[in-house]
Short mmCIF file of all heavy atoms in Angstrom, two decimals:
data_model
loop_
_atom_site.label_atom_id
_atom_site.label_comp_id
_atom_site.label_asym_id
_atom_site.label_seq_id
_atom_site.Cartn_x
_atom_site.Cartn_y
_atom_site.Cartn_z
N MET A 1 -4.67 0.04 -10.26
CA MET A 1 -4.11 -0.38 -9.09
C MET A 1 -4.26 0.77 -7.94
O MET A 1 -4.19 1.91 -8.38
CB MET A 1 -2.62 -0.70 -9.26
CG MET A 1 -2.10 -1.42 -8.03
SD MET A 1 -0.57 -2.21 -8.53
CE MET A 1 0.50 -1.52 -7.24
N LYS A 2 -4.60 0.37 -6.77
CA LYS A 2 -4.81 1.39 -5.76
C LYS A 2 -3.56 2.12 -5.33
O LYS A 2 -2.48 1.57 -5.42
CB LYS A 2 -5.47 0.71 -4.55
CG LYS A 2 -6.81 0.22 -4.71
CD LYS A 2 -7.29 -0.49 -3.38
CE LYS A 2 -8.55 -1.18 -3.59
NZ LYS A 2 -8.86 -1.89 -2.33
N GLN A 3 -3.68 3.29 -4.90
CA GLN A 3 -2.54 4.05 -4.45
C GLN A 3 -2.37 3.68 -2.89
O GLN A 3 -3.35 3.37 -2.22
CB GLN A 3 -2.73 5.61 -4.63
CG GLN A 3 -2.88 6.08 -6.01
CD GLN A 3 -1.55 5.83 -6.77
OE1 GLN A 3 -0.47 6.14 -6.25
NE2 GLN A 3 -1.65 5.38 -7.90
N LEU A 4 -1.16 3.83 -2.36
CA LEU A 4 -0.86 3.51 -1.00
C LEU A 4 -1.74 4.29 -0.05
O LEU A 4 -2.23 3.80 0.96
CB LEU A 4 0.54 3.74 -0.68
CG LEU A 4 1.50 2.53 -1.10
CD1 LEU A 4 2.90 2.96 -1.00
CD2 LEU A 4 1.25 1.36 -0.13
N ILE A 5 -1.87 5.60 -0.40
CA ILE A 5 -2.67 6.45 0.59
C ILE A 5 -4.11 5.97 0.66
O ILE A 5 -4.74 5.98 1.74
CB ILE A 5 -2.61 7.98 0.12
CG1 ILE A 5 -3.13 8.83 1.21
CG2 ILE A 5 -3.30 8.18 -1.15
CD1 ILE A 5 -2.25 9.03 2.42
N ASP A 6 -4.75 5.51 -0.45
CA ASP A 6 -6.06 4.98 -0.40
C ASP A 6 -6.17 3.70 0.37
O ASP A 6 -7.18 3.58 1.09
CB ASP A 6 -6.58 4.77 -1.86
CG ASP A 6 -6.60 6.01 -2.68
OD1 ASP A 6 -6.84 7.02 -2.12
OD2 ASP A 6 -6.38 5.95 -3.84
N ILE A 7 -5.26 2.85 0.24
CA ILE A 7 -5.16 1.58 1.06
C ILE A 7 -4.98 1.92 2.57
O ILE A 7 -5.78 1.41 3.34
CB ILE A 7 -3.96 0.72 0.62
CG1 ILE A 7 -4.15 0.21 -0.88
CG2 ILE A 7 -3.83 -0.47 1.46
CD1 ILE A 7 -3.06 -0.48 -1.49
N ALA A 8 -4.16 2.87 2.88
CA ALA A 8 -3.96 3.31 4.25
C ALA A 8 -5.32 3.87 4.86
O ALA A 8 -5.70 3.60 6.04
CB ALA A 8 -2.81 4.35 4.43
N LYS A 9 -6.00 4.70 4.07
CA LYS A 9 -7.26 5.37 4.55
C LYS A 9 -8.23 4.26 4.81
O LYS A 9 -9.08 4.29 5.82
CB LYS A 9 -7.73 6.29 3.52
CG LYS A 9 -7.03 7.58 3.62
CD LYS A 9 -7.52 8.50 2.56
CE LYS A 9 -6.74 9.85 2.53
NZ LYS A 9 -7.24 10.78 1.53
N LYS A 10 -8.34 3.23 3.94
CA LYS A 10 -9.23 2.10 4.21
C LYS A 10 -8.88 1.34 5.41
O LYS A 10 -9.78 1.03 6.25
CB LYS A 10 -9.19 1.15 2.86
CG LYS A 10 -10.11 -0.01 3.07
CD LYS A 10 -9.90 -0.98 1.99
CE LYS A 10 -8.66 -1.86 2.29
NZ LYS A 10 -8.43 -3.04 1.51
N LEU A 11 -7.62 1.09 5.69
CA LEU A 11 -7.18 0.36 6.85
C LEU A 11 -7.39 1.14 8.12
O LEU A 11 -7.66 0.54 9.19
CB LEU A 11 -5.66 -0.06 6.70
CG LEU A 11 -5.46 -1.06 5.59
CD1 LEU A 11 -3.94 -1.21 5.44
CD2 LEU A 11 -6.06 -2.40 5.87
N GLU A 12 -7.42 2.45 8.12
CA GLU A 12 -7.58 3.34 9.22
C GLU A 12 -8.98 3.07 9.88
O GLU A 12 -9.16 3.28 11.05
CB GLU A 12 -7.38 4.79 8.88
CG GLU A 12 -5.99 5.18 8.62
CD GLU A 12 -5.89 6.65 8.09
OE1 GLU A 12 -6.89 7.28 7.84
OE2 GLU A 12 -4.75 7.02 7.91
N LYS A 13 -9.96 2.64 9.07
CA LYS A 13 -11.28 2.38 9.51
C LYS A 13 -11.33 1.15 10.47
O LYS A 13 -12.25 1.11 11.28
CB LYS A 13 -12.17 2.18 8.31
CG LYS A 13 -12.36 3.38 7.50
CD LYS A 13 -13.18 3.19 6.31
CE LYS A 13 -13.27 4.39 5.42
NZ LYS A 13 -14.05 4.16 4.13
N THR A 14 -10.45 0.29 10.28
CA THR A 14 -10.47 -1.00 11.05
C THR A 14 -9.30 -1.33 11.91
O THR A 14 -9.31 -2.20 12.78
CB THR A 14 -10.67 -2.18 10.12
OG1 THR A 14 -9.61 -2.26 9.17
CG2 THR A 14 -11.98 -2.11 9.39
N MET A 15 -8.23 -0.47 11.74
CA MET A 15 -7.02 -0.73 12.50
C MET A 15 -6.60 0.57 13.37
O MET A 15 -6.97 1.66 12.95
CB MET A 15 -5.83 -1.01 11.58
CG MET A 15 -5.94 -2.21 10.73
SD MET A 15 -4.56 -2.57 9.67
CE MET A 15 -3.32 -3.15 10.79
N ARG A 16 -5.96 0.22 14.41
CA ARG A 16 -5.45 1.37 15.27
C ARG A 16 -4.07 1.76 14.87
O ARG A 16 -3.21 0.97 14.64
CB ARG A 16 -5.44 0.91 16.72
CG ARG A 16 -6.53 1.58 17.56
CD ARG A 16 -6.44 1.06 18.96
NE ARG A 16 -5.78 1.98 19.81
CZ ARG A 16 -5.37 1.83 21.02
NH1 ARG A 16 -5.66 0.70 21.63
NH2 ARG A 16 -4.75 2.75 21.65
N CYS A 17 -3.87 2.99 14.75
CA CYS A 17 -2.54 3.62 14.42
C CYS A 17 -1.60 3.54 15.71
O CYS A 17 -2.07 3.80 16.78
CB CYS A 17 -2.67 5.07 14.04
SG CYS A 17 -1.11 5.99 13.74
N ASN A 18 -0.43 3.08 15.33
CA ASN A 18 0.59 3.12 16.54
C ASN A 18 1.84 3.79 16.04
O ASN A 18 2.99 3.32 16.39
CB ASN A 18 0.86 1.65 17.02
CG ASN A 18 1.49 0.82 16.06
OD1 ASN A 18 1.23 0.92 14.80
ND2 ASN A 18 2.41 -0.08 16.44
N CYS A 19 1.72 4.88 15.35
CA CYS A 19 2.83 5.61 14.88
C CYS A 19 3.62 6.12 16.03
O CYS A 19 3.11 6.60 17.03
CB CYS A 19 2.44 6.77 14.02
SG CYS A 19 1.82 6.42 12.40
N ASP A 20 4.94 6.06 15.96
CA ASP A 20 5.92 6.53 16.91
C ASP A 20 6.49 7.86 16.34
O ASP A 20 7.57 7.96 15.85
CB ASP A 20 6.90 5.63 17.21
CG ASP A 20 7.92 6.02 18.29
OD1 ASP A 20 7.74 7.13 18.88
OD2 ASP A 20 9.08 5.38 18.45
N LEU A 21 5.61 8.92 16.45
CA LEU A 21 6.08 10.21 15.83
C LEU A 21 7.14 10.99 16.55
O LEU A 21 7.72 11.85 16.00
CB LEU A 21 4.86 11.07 15.62
CG LEU A 21 3.71 10.49 14.61
CD1 LEU A 21 2.57 11.45 14.54
CD2 LEU A 21 4.29 10.22 13.32
N ASP A 22 7.48 10.55 17.74
CA ASP A 22 8.56 11.10 18.44
C ASP A 22 9.95 10.65 17.84
O ASP A 22 10.88 11.42 17.86
CB ASP A 22 8.58 10.69 19.94
CG ASP A 22 7.45 11.27 20.68
OD1 ASP A 22 6.91 12.36 20.29
OD2 ASP A 22 7.03 10.71 21.68
N ASN A 23 9.93 9.48 17.31
CA ASN A 23 11.19 8.90 16.78
C ASN A 23 11.22 8.76 15.16
O ASN A 23 12.19 8.55 14.60
CB ASN A 23 11.60 7.62 17.40
CG ASN A 23 11.67 7.87 18.83
OD1 ASN A 23 12.43 8.69 19.35
ND2 ASN A 23 11.09 6.94 19.67
N TRP A 24 10.01 8.64 14.55
CA TRP A 24 9.92 8.49 13.18
C TRP A 24 9.06 9.51 12.50
O TRP A 24 7.99 9.89 12.99
CB TRP A 24 9.27 7.05 12.96
CG TRP A 24 10.03 5.88 13.41
CD1 TRP A 24 9.99 5.45 14.70
CD2 TRP A 24 11.00 5.19 12.72
NE1 TRP A 24 10.86 4.40 14.78
CE2 TRP A 24 11.58 4.22 13.56
CE3 TRP A 24 11.49 5.20 11.43
CZ2 TRP A 24 12.47 3.29 13.21
CZ3 TRP A 24 12.50 4.30 11.05
CH2 TRP A 24 12.98 3.38 11.92
N GLN A 25 9.48 9.92 11.29
CA GLN A 25 8.60 10.83 10.52
C GLN A 25 7.59 9.98 9.68
O GLN A 25 7.97 8.85 9.25
CB GLN A 25 9.50 11.57 9.52
CG GLN A 25 10.39 12.57 10.22
CD GLN A 25 9.70 13.76 10.72
OE1 GLN A 25 8.68 14.19 10.21
NE2 GLN A 25 10.11 14.18 11.96
N PRO A 26 6.39 10.48 9.52
CA PRO A 26 5.38 9.77 8.64
C PRO A 26 5.94 9.67 7.20
O PRO A 26 6.51 10.57 6.62
CB PRO A 26 4.14 10.61 8.70
CG PRO A 26 4.39 11.78 9.55
CD PRO A 26 5.80 11.70 9.99
N ASP A 27 5.69 8.53 6.65
CA ASP A 27 6.01 8.32 5.17
C ASP A 27 4.97 9.02 4.39
O ASP A 27 3.71 8.98 4.59
CB ASP A 27 5.98 6.87 4.87
CG ASP A 27 6.42 6.50 3.50
OD1 ASP A 27 5.92 7.01 2.55
OD2 ASP A 27 7.37 5.67 3.39
N GLN A 28 5.32 9.82 3.41
CA GLN A 28 4.39 10.64 2.59
C GLN A 28 3.43 9.71 1.80
O GLN A 28 2.37 10.17 1.40
CB GLN A 28 5.17 11.56 1.63
CG GLN A 28 5.93 12.64 2.37
CD GLN A 28 6.65 13.57 1.46
OE1 GLN A 28 6.79 13.24 0.25
NE2 GLN A 28 7.09 14.67 1.94
N ARG A 29 3.83 8.50 1.50
CA ARG A 29 2.96 7.62 0.70
C ARG A 29 1.70 7.16 1.50
O ARG A 29 0.68 6.85 0.90
CB ARG A 29 3.75 6.47 0.18
CG ARG A 29 4.85 6.90 -0.79
CD ARG A 29 5.67 5.69 -1.07
NE ARG A 29 6.44 5.23 0.17
CZ ARG A 29 7.15 4.17 0.19
NH1 ARG A 29 7.29 3.30 -0.94
NH2 ARG A 29 7.76 3.85 1.27
N THR A 30 1.91 7.04 2.80
CA THR A 30 0.73 6.43 3.59
C THR A 30 0.37 7.42 4.74
O THR A 30 -0.68 7.27 5.41
CB THR A 30 1.13 5.11 4.28
OG1 THR A 30 2.27 5.44 5.19
CG2 THR A 30 1.45 4.10 3.24
N ASN A 31 1.16 8.41 5.05
CA ASN A 31 0.93 9.39 6.18
C ASN A 31 1.04 8.65 7.59
O ASN A 31 0.45 9.14 8.54
CB ASN A 31 -0.38 10.08 6.08
CG ASN A 31 -0.40 11.07 5.00
OD1 ASN A 31 0.68 11.62 4.57
ND2 ASN A 31 -1.53 11.44 4.51
N HIS A 32 1.77 7.49 7.57
CA HIS A 32 2.06 6.80 8.80
C HIS A 32 3.50 6.52 8.87
O HIS A 32 4.20 6.33 7.77
CB HIS A 32 1.22 5.49 8.86
CG HIS A 32 -0.24 5.74 9.10
ND1 HIS A 32 -0.83 5.86 10.28
CD2 HIS A 32 -1.21 5.86 8.25
CE1 HIS A 32 -2.09 6.05 10.14
NE2 HIS A 32 -2.41 6.07 8.89
N SER A 33 4.04 6.37 10.06
CA SER A 33 5.52 6.10 10.22
C SER A 33 5.83 4.59 9.84
O SER A 33 4.88 3.80 9.81
CB SER A 33 6.05 6.47 11.57
OG SER A 33 5.37 5.54 12.53
N TRP A 34 7.01 4.31 9.52
CA TRP A 34 7.45 3.00 9.10
C TRP A 34 7.18 1.97 10.17
O TRP A 34 7.04 0.73 9.86
CB TRP A 34 8.96 2.94 8.75
CG TRP A 34 9.28 3.75 7.56
CD1 TRP A 34 8.38 4.43 6.69
CD2 TRP A 34 10.45 3.66 6.79
NE1 TRP A 34 9.02 4.94 5.61
CE2 TRP A 34 10.29 4.45 5.62
CE3 TRP A 34 11.65 3.11 7.07
CZ2 TRP A 34 11.43 4.68 4.70
CZ3 TRP A 34 12.64 3.30 6.14
CH2 TRP A 34 12.50 4.11 5.00
N VAL A 35 7.10 2.37 11.39
CA VAL A 35 6.80 1.42 12.49
C VAL A 35 5.35 1.13 12.76
O VAL A 35 5.02 0.28 13.51
CB VAL A 35 7.55 1.77 13.83
CG1 VAL A 35 9.04 1.85 13.64
CG2 VAL A 35 6.99 3.11 14.31
N CYS A 36 4.49 1.82 12.05
CA CYS A 36 3.03 1.71 12.29
C CYS A 36 2.46 0.55 11.61
O CYS A 36 2.82 0.14 10.55
CB CYS A 36 2.37 2.97 11.72
SG CYS A 36 0.60 2.97 12.03
N ARG A 37 1.65 -0.08 12.34
CA ARG A 37 1.00 -1.36 11.71
C ARG A 37 0.17 -1.00 10.47
O ARG A 37 0.03 -1.87 9.55
CB ARG A 37 0.11 -2.05 12.80
CG ARG A 37 -1.06 -1.30 13.26
CD ARG A 37 -1.94 -2.00 14.33
NE ARG A 37 -1.24 -2.40 15.50
CZ ARG A 37 -1.23 -1.85 16.67
NH1 ARG A 37 -1.93 -0.73 16.86
NH2 ARG A 37 -0.49 -2.29 17.63
N ILE A 38 -0.40 0.18 10.38
CA ILE A 38 -1.21 0.53 9.22
C ILE A 38 -0.34 0.71 8.02
O ILE A 38 -0.59 0.25 6.88
CB ILE A 38 -2.00 1.79 9.56
CG1 ILE A 38 -3.12 1.56 10.49
CG2 ILE A 38 -2.55 2.39 8.21
CD1 ILE A 38 -3.86 2.80 10.91
N HIS A 39 0.82 1.36 8.22
CA HIS A 39 1.82 1.49 7.14
C HIS A 39 2.32 0.12 6.68
O HIS A 39 2.35 -0.12 5.45
CB HIS A 39 2.98 2.34 7.63
CG HIS A 39 4.07 2.45 6.61
ND1 HIS A 39 4.08 3.33 5.59
CD2 HIS A 39 5.27 1.72 6.47
CE1 HIS A 39 5.15 3.14 4.80
NE2 HIS A 39 5.90 2.23 5.39
N ARG A 40 2.70 -0.75 7.62
CA ARG A 40 3.12 -2.13 7.21
C ARG A 40 2.06 -2.87 6.45
O ARG A 40 2.34 -3.55 5.48
CB ARG A 40 3.62 -2.83 8.45
CG ARG A 40 4.82 -2.23 9.01
CD ARG A 40 5.51 -3.09 10.00
NE ARG A 40 4.60 -3.66 11.00
CZ ARG A 40 4.45 -3.34 12.22
NH1 ARG A 40 5.27 -2.47 12.77
NH2 ARG A 40 3.62 -3.92 13.03
N ALA A 41 0.77 -2.78 6.95
CA ALA A 41 -0.28 -3.54 6.24
C ALA A 41 -0.56 -2.89 4.88
O ALA A 41 -0.83 -3.67 4.02
CB ALA A 41 -1.60 -3.53 7.13
N ALA A 42 -0.60 -1.60 4.73
CA ALA A 42 -0.80 -0.92 3.49
C ALA A 42 0.31 -1.32 2.47
O ALA A 42 -0.04 -1.69 1.29
CB ALA A 42 -0.79 0.62 3.64
N MET A 43 1.57 -1.36 2.92
CA MET A 43 2.69 -1.79 2.00
C MET A 43 2.49 -3.20 1.61
O MET A 43 2.71 -3.57 0.43
CB MET A 43 3.99 -1.57 2.75
CG MET A 43 4.40 -0.12 3.01
SD MET A 43 4.50 0.83 1.56
CE MET A 43 6.13 0.24 0.99
N ALA A 44 2.11 -4.07 2.55
CA ALA A 44 1.94 -5.48 2.19
C ALA A 44 0.85 -5.70 1.15
O ALA A 44 0.92 -6.45 0.22
CB ALA A 44 1.65 -6.25 3.47
N GLU A 45 -0.28 -4.93 1.40
CA GLU A 45 -1.41 -5.03 0.46
C GLU A 45 -1.10 -4.56 -0.89
O GLU A 45 -1.37 -5.10 -1.96
CB GLU A 45 -2.65 -4.36 0.98
CG GLU A 45 -3.86 -4.56 0.09
CD GLU A 45 -5.14 -3.96 0.73
OE1 GLU A 45 -5.25 -3.90 1.98
OE2 GLU A 45 -5.96 -3.46 -0.06
N TRP A 46 -0.35 -3.38 -0.91
CA TRP A 46 0.01 -2.81 -2.22
C TRP A 46 1.03 -3.75 -2.91
O TRP A 46 0.86 -3.98 -4.16
CB TRP A 46 0.72 -1.50 -1.91
CG TRP A 46 1.10 -0.78 -3.16
CD1 TRP A 46 0.31 0.01 -4.02
CD2 TRP A 46 2.43 -0.78 -3.80
NE1 TRP A 46 1.08 0.48 -5.05
CE2 TRP A 46 2.33 0.05 -4.96
CE3 TRP A 46 3.66 -1.35 -3.43
CZ2 TRP A 46 3.42 0.26 -5.76
CZ3 TRP A 46 4.71 -1.05 -4.24
CH2 TRP A 46 4.55 -0.34 -5.41
N GLU A 47 2.01 -4.31 -2.18
CA GLU A 47 2.93 -5.22 -2.78
C GLU A 47 2.19 -6.51 -3.42
O GLU A 47 2.50 -6.98 -4.48
CB GLU A 47 3.91 -5.74 -1.76
CG GLU A 47 4.95 -6.73 -2.21
CD GLU A 47 5.93 -6.17 -3.16
OE1 GLU A 47 6.16 -5.00 -3.30
OE2 GLU A 47 6.45 -6.95 -4.08
N TRP A 48 1.20 -7.03 -2.62
CA TRP A 48 0.43 -8.17 -3.04
C TRP A 48 -0.29 -7.85 -4.41
O TRP A 48 -0.29 -8.61 -5.34
CB TRP A 48 -0.57 -8.61 -1.99
CG TRP A 48 -1.40 -9.79 -2.43
CD1 TRP A 48 -1.02 -11.10 -2.39
CD2 TRP A 48 -2.69 -9.81 -2.87
NE1 TRP A 48 -2.03 -11.88 -2.83
CE2 TRP A 48 -3.13 -11.18 -3.16
CE3 TRP A 48 -3.65 -8.77 -3.17
CZ2 TRP A 48 -4.32 -11.48 -3.60
CZ3 TRP A 48 -4.91 -9.10 -3.66
CH2 TRP A 48 -5.21 -10.42 -3.90
N GLU A 49 -0.94 -6.68 -4.44
CA GLU A 49 -1.59 -6.20 -5.61
C GLU A 49 -0.66 -6.04 -6.83
O GLU A 49 -0.98 -6.37 -7.95
CB GLU A 49 -2.41 -4.94 -5.42
CG GLU A 49 -3.65 -5.03 -4.56
CD GLU A 49 -4.49 -3.92 -4.58
OE1 GLU A 49 -4.30 -2.98 -5.35
OE2 GLU A 49 -5.39 -3.85 -3.70
N TRP A 50 0.55 -5.46 -6.56
CA TRP A 50 1.58 -5.31 -7.55
C TRP A 50 1.99 -6.70 -8.12
O TRP A 50 2.13 -6.79 -9.31
CB TRP A 50 2.78 -4.53 -6.96
CG TRP A 50 3.90 -4.28 -7.91
CD1 TRP A 50 5.06 -4.86 -7.82
CD2 TRP A 50 3.86 -3.50 -9.08
NE1 TRP A 50 5.83 -4.42 -8.93
CE2 TRP A 50 5.19 -3.57 -9.67
CE3 TRP A 50 2.95 -2.59 -9.72
CZ2 TRP A 50 5.47 -2.86 -10.79
CZ3 TRP A 50 3.23 -1.91 -10.84
CH2 TRP A 50 4.54 -2.03 -11.38
N GLN A 51 2.29 -7.58 -7.24
CA GLN A 51 2.71 -8.95 -7.73
C GLN A 51 1.59 -9.60 -8.55
O GLN A 51 1.90 -10.22 -9.53
CB GLN A 51 3.07 -9.82 -6.52
CG GLN A 51 4.32 -9.37 -5.81
CD GLN A 51 5.50 -9.46 -6.70
OE1 GLN A 51 5.68 -10.25 -7.58
NE2 GLN A 51 6.41 -8.53 -6.47
N LYS A 52 0.37 -9.39 -8.14
CA LYS A 52 -0.79 -9.98 -8.84
C LYS A 52 -0.88 -9.36 -10.26
O LYS A 52 -1.09 -10.04 -11.24
CB LYS A 52 -2.07 -9.73 -8.12
CG LYS A 52 -3.26 -10.43 -8.72
CD LYS A 52 -4.50 -10.33 -7.70
CE LYS A 52 -4.96 -8.90 -7.57
NZ LYS A 52 -6.20 -8.79 -6.87
N THR A 53 -0.62 -8.06 -10.33
CA THR A 53 -0.66 -7.40 -11.69
C THR A 53 0.46 -7.80 -12.56
O THR A 53 0.22 -8.09 -13.67
CB THR A 53 -0.48 -5.84 -11.46
OG1 THR A 53 -1.56 -5.35 -10.57
CG2 THR A 53 -0.48 -5.05 -12.71
N LEU A 54 1.69 -8.01 -11.95
CA LEU A 54 2.80 -8.44 -12.81
C LEU A 54 2.59 -9.98 -13.25
O LEU A 54 2.94 -10.22 -14.41
CB LEU A 54 4.07 -8.47 -11.97
CG LEU A 54 4.66 -7.13 -11.58
CD1 LEU A 54 5.89 -7.25 -10.73
CD2 LEU A 54 4.97 -6.36 -12.91
N LYS A 55 1.95 -10.78 -12.42
CA LYS A 55 1.61 -12.14 -12.88
C LYS A 55 0.67 -12.18 -13.94
O LYS A 55 0.82 -12.94 -14.90
CB LYS A 55 1.14 -12.92 -11.57
CG LYS A 55 0.85 -14.36 -11.84
CD LYS A 55 0.27 -15.10 -10.70
CE LYS A 55 -0.08 -16.53 -10.98
NZ LYS A 55 -0.73 -17.17 -9.89
N ASN A 56 -0.35 -11.38 -13.93
CA ASN A 56 -1.41 -11.37 -14.91
C ASN A 56 -1.09 -10.47 -16.13
O ASN A 56 -1.75 -10.48 -17.14
CB ASN A 56 -2.73 -10.84 -14.37
CG ASN A 56 -3.25 -11.89 -13.29
OD1 ASN A 56 -2.96 -13.05 -13.40
ND2 ASN A 56 -3.98 -11.43 -12.36
N GLY A 57 -0.05 -9.66 -15.95
CA GLY A 57 0.22 -8.67 -17.04
C GLY A 57 -0.64 -7.51 -16.94
O GLY A 57 -1.78 -7.60 -16.49
N SER A 58 -0.15 -6.42 -17.23
CA SER A 58 -0.95 -5.12 -17.21
C SER A 58 -1.90 -5.16 -18.38
O SER A 58 -1.62 -5.70 -19.39
CB SER A 58 -0.06 -3.92 -17.16
OG SER A 58 0.53 -3.76 -18.44
N PRO A 59 -3.06 -4.41 -18.24
CA PRO A 59 -3.97 -4.38 -19.40
C PRO A 59 -3.34 -3.76 -20.63
O PRO A 59 -3.67 -4.13 -21.67
CB PRO A 59 -5.07 -3.38 -18.86
CG PRO A 59 -5.02 -3.50 -17.38
CD PRO A 59 -3.56 -3.83 -17.07
N ALA A 60 -2.37 -2.89 -20.45
CA ALA A 60 -1.63 -2.32 -21.61
C ALA A 60 -0.84 -3.31 -22.38
O ALA A 60 -0.65 -3.21 -23.60
CB ALA A 60 -0.77 -1.16 -21.16
N ASP A 61 -0.43 -4.43 -21.68
CA ASP A 61 0.40 -5.45 -22.37
C ASP A 61 -0.50 -6.43 -23.17
O ASP A 61 0.12 -7.13 -23.96
CB ASP A 61 1.15 -6.26 -21.29
CG ASP A 61 2.22 -5.37 -20.60
OD1 ASP A 61 2.68 -4.45 -21.14
OD2 ASP A 61 2.68 -5.81 -19.48
N ARG A 62 -1.74 -6.48 -22.81
CA ARG A 62 -2.61 -7.49 -23.49
C ARG A 62 -3.03 -6.86 -24.88
O ARG A 62 -3.43 -5.84 -25.02
CB ARG A 62 -3.85 -7.73 -22.67
CG ARG A 62 -3.53 -8.36 -21.33
CD ARG A 62 -4.75 -8.64 -20.56
NE ARG A 62 -4.39 -9.08 -19.20
CZ ARG A 62 -5.08 -8.76 -18.19
NH1 ARG A 62 -6.24 -8.06 -18.25
NH2 ARG A 62 -4.66 -9.18 -16.99
N VAL A 63 -2.87 -7.73 -25.85
CA VAL A 63 -3.26 -7.36 -27.18
C VAL A 63 -4.36 -8.38 -27.66
O VAL A 63 -4.21 -9.56 -27.58
CB VAL A 63 -2.07 -7.48 -28.22
CG1 VAL A 63 -2.50 -7.12 -29.63
CG2 VAL A 63 -0.93 -6.58 -27.75
N GLU A 64 -5.45 -7.76 -28.05
CA GLU A 64 -6.57 -8.59 -28.49
C GLU A 64 -6.28 -9.17 -29.88
O GLU A 64 -5.92 -8.29 -30.71
CB GLU A 64 -7.89 -7.87 -28.51
CG GLU A 64 -8.31 -7.45 -27.08
CD GLU A 64 -9.69 -6.80 -27.07
OE1 GLU A 64 -10.43 -7.01 -28.13
OE2 GLU A 64 -9.99 -6.04 -26.19
N GLU A 65 -6.43 -10.44 -30.02
CA GLU A 65 -6.21 -11.01 -31.41
C GLU A 65 -7.60 -11.04 -32.08
O GLU A 65 -8.61 -11.24 -31.41
CB GLU A 65 -5.73 -12.48 -31.26
CG GLU A 65 -4.38 -12.47 -30.62
CD GLU A 65 -3.80 -13.89 -30.48
OE1 GLU A 65 -4.34 -14.74 -31.24
OE2 GLU A 65 -2.88 -14.13 -29.78
N LYS A 66 -7.54 -10.73 -33.33
CA LYS A 66 -8.79 -10.69 -34.14
C LYS A 66 -8.97 -11.85 -35.00
O LYS A 66 -8.07 -12.58 -35.38
CB LYS A 66 -8.83 -9.45 -35.04
CG LYS A 66 -8.92 -8.17 -34.22
CD LYS A 66 -8.95 -7.02 -35.13
CE LYS A 66 -8.94 -5.77 -34.22
NZ LYS A 66 -9.10 -4.54 -35.02
#
């Protein structure tokens, strides 16, 4: 599963940052403030991937039957 910082870096290539650094500190997981569209999109993508992983089970949970 991707890390939040990696997702944010990918989104930075196509999205504009709108961090309000005068009023908000950047979140260490994304390096963007909570009000930034990049932070919100990264969190949404990460959550979606997490839910998909839980639905399918992690590879460690799968046991091959012989």
Side-chain angles (χ1 to χ4, degrees):
M1 194 162 128
K2 295 180 187 175
Q3 297 294 318
L4 275 168
I5 191 73
D6 298 327
I7 296 170
K9 285 180 182 178
K10 179 189 79 167
L11 292 172
E12 287 172 356
K13 297 176 184 176
T14 59
M15 296 179 78
R16 254 179 96 185
C17 174
N18 67 323
C19 284
D20 181 7
L21 297 178
D22 292 334
N23 297 314
W24 296 88
Q25 292 291 323
D27 188 304
Q28 293 180 347
R29 298 171 295 172
T30 62
N31 289 335
H32 290 273
S33 64
W34 288 9
V35 296
C36 181
R37 63 178 59 99
I38 293 174
H39 175 81
R40 291 191 315 251
M43 294 296 288
E45 184 174 328
W46 184 82
E47 178 69 25
W48 181 79
E49 286 188 16
W50 178 250
Q51 292 298 327
K52 189 170 66 171
T53 301
L54 291 177
K55 181 180 177 185
N56 295 330
S58 69
D61 293 338
R62 296 182 189 147
V63 177
E64 292 184 23
E65 295 181 19
K66 295 182 181 181

